[in-house]
Amino acid sequence: MPPSTRLLAQSALADLADVPATSRWVRSGGARLHVLDYGGDGVPLVVLPGITSPAVAMDFVARELTSLVRPLVVDVRGRGLSDGGGSYGLEEYAEDTEAVVTGLGLHRPVLLGHSMGARIAAVTAVRAKVALRGTVLGDPPMSGPGRGRYPTSLDVFLDQLAQARRGTDADEVAQSWPRWPRREQELRARWLASCDPEAVTATHRGFESEDFFAWWPSVPRPTALLYGADSPVVTAQGAAEAARLLPSAVLAEVPDAGHMLFWDSPRAALAALRQVLRPMLV
């Protein structure tokens, strides 16, 4: 099987029957992008997941927010049901996000990004091609030129993708992510093979060649940065630098959480998210 093969079993597609969202589609250039729209009359919240997280992986987060906002979770290019191919740089990802906002007619949404998605949210906000109410960045990779390597190697990601293409299960996923809720381990086992190794490789390369701090000081207010108290991605030193470079930002540490905020400590991470979101919704 070629290394770039993406797979999605019927059992994975069947997961969508249990997701209380409608599939929406937009075009960004030649790419078709898939979005899970949870509906409602609230302020749109565009959710941008991480490097190997299809949209369905953040269903458990979106469900908890429907009384507050209208969540729309994006299958980022090369993941889930969205097309792959093209470039996987931050500005290209931002163009896709802009296409989601304009294509779905979203009026001044808030952007919520986790990890890779947090970087995309920051760049989208700085580009200012679409009107936003605010941004929430969850544990953005702060690696980059002159800043050291991203703490999880590319080989680890590619090994996990190979396991998924071979056929994995929740027990094997639990070996890497033992603290996750069982349902999230099961979803990862079924959906990880939908991630394009080319997209993951290019994005990981970007974690070390594209500097988050080149964008961060220009992110317009209001913005908030959530980070795990035990995260190796946003360290205490990184959080202090973020606070110094953008004093207007709200920084919130999520206790008992590493990089995977919502998976590691769901209750605390969701409480912190609600707290920073509410002022943005006025």
Side-chain angles (χ1 to χ4, degrees):
M1 185 179 297
S4 62
T5 298
R6 299 171 65 190
L7 302 174
L8 201 56
Q10 188 277 334
S11 59
L13 289 172
D15 287 324
L16 296 178
D18 297 321
V19 173
T22 300
S23 286
R24 307 285 296 276
W25 295 87
V26 299
R27 283 191 176 271
S28 178
R32 297 162 298 183
L33 303 177
H34 174 250
V35 182
L36 289 175
D37 182 355
Y38 288 75
D41 298 325
V43 170
L45 177 74
V46 177
V47 183
L48 304 166
I51 185 171
T52 54
S53 294
V56 71
M58 295 195 76
D59 170 63
F60 76 111
V61 176
R63 288 175 190 239
E64 295 293 328
L65 299 173
T66 53
S67 63
L68 187 64
V69 294
R70 172 192 170 188
L72 301 103
V73 190
V74 180
D75 268 330
V76 178
R77 177 185 295 257
R79 287 89 175 167
L81 300 180
S82 289
D83 286 346
S87 176
Y88 297 99
L90 279 173
E91 296 219 50
E92 287 74 24
Y93 281 137
E95 289 175 1
D96 287 348
T97 306
E98 293 156 4
V100 168
V101 173
T102 57
L104 297 182
L106 304 179
H107 178 64
R108 296 185 61 227
V110 176
L111 300 186
L112 164 64
H114 173 250
S115 190
M116 171 192 73
R119 283 187 159 212
I120 297 169
V123 174
T124 305
V126 174
R127 282 165 56 91
K129 300 292 182 67
V130 290
L132 303 174
R133 287 177 185 266
T135 52
V136 181
L137 312 186
D139 227 70
M142 294 182 171
S143 49
R147 294 182 177 274
R149 304 182 69 84
Y150 185 72
T152 302
S153 72
L154 176 60
D155 286 343
V156 168
F157 284 114
L158 294 181
D159 285 347
Q160 292 174 355
L161 292 179
Q163 289 175 359
R165 292 197 304 273
R166 176 254 297 160
T168 189
D169 58 22
D171 289 338
E172 188 170 42
V173 169
Q175 294 175 20
S176 299
W177 307 107
R179 296 180 57 187
W180 287 18
R182 187 62 172 182
R183 176 179 179 267
E184 309 321 315
Q185 294 168 343
E186 292 170 348
L187 282 175
R188 185 170 178 85
R190 290 192 287 269
W191 281 84
L192 182 57
S194 74
C195 297
D196 188 340
E198 179 185 346
V200 173
T201 298
T203 300
H204 190 278
R205 186 183 306 120
F207 285 170
E208 298 179 354
S209 64
E210 297 174 306
D211 188 356
F212 169 74
F213 285 107
W215 298 89
W216 169 247
S218 301
V219 174
R221 60 188 305 179
T223 188
L225 193 154
L226 307 183
Y227 63 99
D230 305 318
S231 174
V233 173
V234 178
T235 62
Q237 180 182 359
E241 184 173 3
R244 178 178 60 82
L245 290 175
L246 189 57
S248 64
V250 174
L251 269 68
E253 182 182 84
V254 178
D256 194 33
H259 177 56
M260 302 300 289
L261 302 171
F262 301 103
W263 294 259
D264 291 345
S265 190
R267 183 174 299 180
L270 283 164
L273 174 59
R274 291 189 188 97
Q275 185 171 355
V276 300
L277 271 178
R278 285 192 179 97
M280 300 181 186
L281 306 179
V282 176

